[in-house]
Amino acid sequence: MKRLRIVPLSILLLCATVANAAPTGPLKIDRTRSFVDVDVKATVDSFTGRLDRYQAVLELDKSNRIKSSSLNFRFADLKTGKPDRDAKMMEWLGGGDPAGRFDLGVLALAPDGQGQANGKLTFNGVSRRIEFPVNVTRTDTTLTIAGSVTLDHRQWKLKVIRMFALLKVDPNVIVRFQLVVELPLPTED
């Protein structure tokens, strides 16, 4: 008789677990409120490039906290507002269709959403660990992840750009980002 009571209880617990499980598959990024920008300083012509396209994948745990995240991008999708400059950037990167990837390692947040993230950034055949401050805010329907990091592109085996011995592009670039994720609507029990 005890076995018959355990089976329905087990099925009930399994159903409750499935109903409360985190969503499967990639969550939808709100592209109208999300961006990945790269600020570049140069002797004469400083500029900001914006990634027009990228693939961001976020996985949440049962409490809708970030469990894992990755961002894949192509440098051809980094637009600076000047097609000639974009073409020169592709030459500087070696031509072809160079791409990059960031994989989140650890995200440590205080209760107010301020914290530190680290992960692996890979491009130009080089992977490096990076760490940067983040701010994660949440509403009933969205999760917003924002931050910035200064990167020295020489750490990824890229040369400093110089022209006419006087003009130079600073090897330190600032990557700023904001990703707004639409959260799944809660399911009723």
Short mmCIF file of all heavy atoms in Angstrom, two decimals, residues 11-39:
data_model
loop_
_atom_site.label_atom_id
_atom_site.label_comp_id
_atom_site.label_asym_id
_atom_site.label_seq_id
_atom_site.Cartn_x
_atom_site.Cartn_y
_atom_site.Cartn_z
N ILE A 11 4.95 11.39 -9.08
CA ILE A 11 4.44 12.00 -10.32
C ILE A 11 4.08 13.45 -10.07
O ILE A 11 4.39 14.34 -10.86
CB ILE A 11 3.25 11.20 -10.87
CG1 ILE A 11 3.74 9.83 -11.35
CG2 ILE A 11 2.54 11.96 -11.98
CD1 ILE A 11 2.65 8.88 -11.73
N LEU A 12 3.46 13.75 -8.92
CA LEU A 12 3.09 15.12 -8.58
C LEU A 12 4.34 16.00 -8.45
O LEU A 12 4.38 17.11 -8.98
CB LEU A 12 2.29 15.12 -7.28
CG LEU A 12 1.80 16.48 -6.78
CD1 LEU A 12 0.85 17.09 -7.81
CD2 LEU A 12 1.13 16.35 -5.44
N LEU A 13 5.36 15.51 -7.78
CA LEU A 13 6.62 16.27 -7.64
C LEU A 13 7.28 16.49 -8.99
O LEU A 13 7.78 17.58 -9.28
CB LEU A 13 7.58 15.55 -6.69
CG LEU A 13 7.20 15.59 -5.22
CD1 LEU A 13 8.15 14.70 -4.41
CD2 LEU A 13 7.22 17.01 -4.69
N LEU A 14 7.28 15.49 -9.87
CA LEU A 14 7.86 15.63 -11.20
C LEU A 14 7.11 16.69 -12.00
O LEU A 14 7.72 17.55 -12.63
CB LEU A 14 7.83 14.29 -11.93
CG LEU A 14 8.39 14.30 -13.36
CD1 LEU A 14 9.85 14.70 -13.37
CD2 LEU A 14 8.19 12.95 -14.00
N CYS A 15 5.78 16.66 -11.94
CA CYS A 15 4.98 17.67 -12.67
C CYS A 15 5.26 19.06 -12.14
O CYS A 15 5.38 20.02 -12.90
CB CYS A 15 3.50 17.35 -12.57
SG CYS A 15 3.04 15.88 -13.51
N ALA A 16 5.39 19.22 -10.82
CA ALA A 16 5.68 20.52 -10.23
C ALA A 16 7.05 21.02 -10.67
O ALA A 16 7.24 22.19 -10.97
CB ALA A 16 5.60 20.45 -8.71
N THR A 17 8.02 20.12 -10.74
CA THR A 17 9.36 20.49 -11.18
C THR A 17 9.35 20.95 -12.63
O THR A 17 9.96 21.96 -12.97
CB THR A 17 10.33 19.30 -11.01
OG1 THR A 17 10.32 18.91 -9.65
CG2 THR A 17 11.74 19.66 -11.43
N VAL A 18 8.67 20.25 -13.50
CA VAL A 18 8.60 20.62 -14.91
C VAL A 18 7.88 21.96 -15.07
O VAL A 18 8.31 22.82 -15.83
CB VAL A 18 7.91 19.51 -15.73
CG1 VAL A 18 7.62 19.97 -17.14
CG2 VAL A 18 8.78 18.26 -15.75
N ALA A 19 6.80 22.17 -14.33
CA ALA A 19 6.05 23.42 -14.44
C ALA A 19 6.89 24.62 -14.01
O ALA A 19 6.74 25.71 -14.54
CB ALA A 19 4.78 23.34 -13.60
N ASN A 20 7.79 24.42 -13.05
CA ASN A 20 8.60 25.53 -12.53
C ASN A 20 9.98 25.59 -13.17
O ASN A 20 10.79 26.42 -12.80
CB ASN A 20 8.76 25.40 -11.01
CG ASN A 20 7.45 25.65 -10.30
OD1 ASN A 20 6.68 26.50 -10.71
ND2 ASN A 20 7.20 24.89 -9.24
N ALA A 21 10.28 24.73 -14.12
CA ALA A 21 11.61 24.69 -14.72
C ALA A 21 11.88 25.96 -15.52
O ALA A 21 10.97 26.62 -15.98
CB ALA A 21 11.73 23.47 -15.64
N ALA A 22 13.14 26.26 -15.65
CA ALA A 22 13.55 27.42 -16.45
C ALA A 22 13.19 27.18 -17.91
O ALA A 22 13.11 26.04 -18.36
CB ALA A 22 15.06 27.62 -16.31
N PRO A 23 12.96 28.24 -18.68
CA PRO A 23 12.61 28.07 -20.08
C PRO A 23 13.75 27.40 -20.84
O PRO A 23 14.91 27.58 -20.49
CB PRO A 23 12.39 29.50 -20.57
CG PRO A 23 13.11 30.36 -19.58
CD PRO A 23 13.11 29.63 -18.29
N THR A 24 13.40 26.65 -21.86
CA THR A 24 14.43 26.01 -22.67
C THR A 24 14.62 26.81 -23.94
O THR A 24 13.72 27.51 -24.38
CB THR A 24 14.04 24.57 -23.02
OG1 THR A 24 12.79 24.60 -23.71
CG2 THR A 24 13.93 23.72 -21.78
N GLY A 25 15.78 26.72 -24.53
CA GLY A 25 16.08 27.45 -25.75
C GLY A 25 16.51 28.87 -25.43
O GLY A 25 16.44 29.33 -24.30
N PRO A 26 16.99 29.57 -26.45
CA PRO A 26 17.48 30.94 -26.22
C PRO A 26 16.33 31.89 -25.89
O PRO A 26 15.24 31.77 -26.41
CB PRO A 26 18.13 31.31 -27.56
CG PRO A 26 17.54 30.37 -28.55
CD PRO A 26 17.13 29.14 -27.82
N LEU A 27 16.61 32.81 -24.99
CA LEU A 27 15.64 33.84 -24.65
C LEU A 27 15.71 34.95 -25.69
O LEU A 27 16.75 35.18 -26.30
CB LEU A 27 15.95 34.39 -23.26
CG LEU A 27 15.84 33.39 -22.13
CD1 LEU A 27 16.35 33.99 -20.84
CD2 LEU A 27 14.41 32.93 -21.97
N LYS A 28 14.63 35.65 -25.86
CA LYS A 28 14.56 36.69 -26.88
C LYS A 28 15.22 37.98 -26.39
O LYS A 28 14.91 38.49 -25.32
CB LYS A 28 13.11 36.95 -27.27
CG LYS A 28 12.99 37.92 -28.40
CD LYS A 28 11.57 38.07 -28.85
CE LYS A 28 11.54 39.06 -30.01
NZ LYS A 28 10.20 39.40 -30.40
N ILE A 29 16.14 38.48 -27.20
CA ILE A 29 16.81 39.75 -26.93
C ILE A 29 15.97 40.86 -27.56
O ILE A 29 15.58 40.77 -28.72
CB ILE A 29 18.23 39.78 -27.54
CG1 ILE A 29 19.10 38.63 -27.01
CG2 ILE A 29 18.90 41.12 -27.32
CD1 ILE A 29 19.52 38.74 -25.60
N ASP A 30 15.69 41.92 -26.82
CA ASP A 30 14.99 43.07 -27.36
C ASP A 30 16.03 43.93 -28.08
O ASP A 30 16.76 44.71 -27.46
CB ASP A 30 14.31 43.85 -26.24
CG ASP A 30 13.54 45.06 -26.74
OD1 ASP A 30 13.76 45.50 -27.89
OD2 ASP A 30 12.72 45.58 -25.97
N ARG A 31 16.11 43.79 -29.40
CA ARG A 31 17.14 44.47 -30.20
C ARG A 31 16.97 45.99 -30.20
O ARG A 31 17.93 46.71 -30.44
CB ARG A 31 17.12 43.95 -31.64
CG ARG A 31 17.39 42.47 -31.76
CD ARG A 31 18.83 42.18 -31.73
NE ARG A 31 19.05 40.74 -31.86
CZ ARG A 31 20.23 40.22 -31.87
NH1 ARG A 31 21.29 40.96 -31.81
NH2 ARG A 31 20.37 38.92 -31.97
N THR A 32 15.76 46.48 -29.96
CA THR A 32 15.56 47.93 -29.97
C THR A 32 16.16 48.61 -28.74
O THR A 32 16.47 49.79 -28.78
CB THR A 32 14.06 48.29 -30.06
OG1 THR A 32 13.39 47.80 -28.89
CG2 THR A 32 13.42 47.70 -31.30
N ARG A 33 16.35 47.85 -27.66
CA ARG A 33 16.92 48.42 -26.43
C ARG A 33 18.29 47.85 -26.09
O ARG A 33 18.85 48.17 -25.04
CB ARG A 33 15.95 48.20 -25.26
CG ARG A 33 14.63 48.94 -25.46
CD ARG A 33 13.75 48.87 -24.24
NE ARG A 33 13.25 47.51 -24.06
CZ ARG A 33 12.64 47.09 -22.96
NH1 ARG A 33 12.47 47.90 -21.94
NH2 ARG A 33 12.19 45.85 -22.87
N SER A 34 18.82 47.00 -26.95
CA SER A 34 20.12 46.36 -26.71
C SER A 34 21.17 46.93 -27.67
O SER A 34 20.84 47.34 -28.78
CB SER A 34 20.01 44.85 -26.92
OG SER A 34 19.08 44.29 -26.01
N PHE A 35 22.42 46.92 -27.22
CA PHE A 35 23.51 47.37 -28.09
C PHE A 35 24.84 46.79 -27.61
O PHE A 35 24.99 46.43 -26.45
CB PHE A 35 23.59 48.90 -28.17
CG PHE A 35 23.91 49.55 -26.84
CD1 PHE A 35 25.23 49.70 -26.40
CD2 PHE A 35 22.89 50.03 -26.02
CE1 PHE A 35 25.51 50.30 -25.19
CE2 PHE A 35 23.17 50.63 -24.80
CZ PHE A 35 24.48 50.77 -24.38
N VAL A 36 25.80 46.72 -28.54
CA VAL A 36 27.20 46.44 -28.23
C VAL A 36 27.99 47.48 -29.02
O VAL A 36 27.98 47.47 -30.26
CB VAL A 36 27.62 45.01 -28.63
CG1 VAL A 36 29.10 44.80 -28.32
CG2 VAL A 36 26.76 43.97 -27.93
N ASP A 37 28.64 48.41 -28.32
CA ASP A 37 29.39 49.50 -28.94
C ASP A 37 30.87 49.37 -28.59
O ASP A 37 31.23 48.88 -27.51
CB ASP A 37 28.90 50.86 -28.44
CG ASP A 37 27.55 51.25 -29.00
OD1 ASP A 37 27.06 50.55 -29.92
OD2 ASP A 37 26.99 52.24 -28.52
N VAL A 38 31.72 49.85 -29.51
CA VAL A 38 33.16 49.86 -29.29
C VAL A 38 33.65 51.28 -29.52
O VAL A 38 33.51 51.82 -30.63
CB VAL A 38 33.89 48.88 -30.26
CG1 VAL A 38 35.39 48.92 -30.01
CG2 VAL A 38 33.34 47.47 -30.10
N ASP A 39 34.20 51.90 -28.47
CA ASP A 39 34.73 53.26 -28.55
C ASP A 39 36.22 53.19 -28.84
O ASP A 39 36.97 52.53 -28.10
CB ASP A 39 34.49 54.02 -27.25
CG ASP A 39 33.02 54.19 -26.92
OD1 ASP A 39 32.21 54.34 -27.86
OD2 ASP A 39 32.67 54.18 -25.72
#
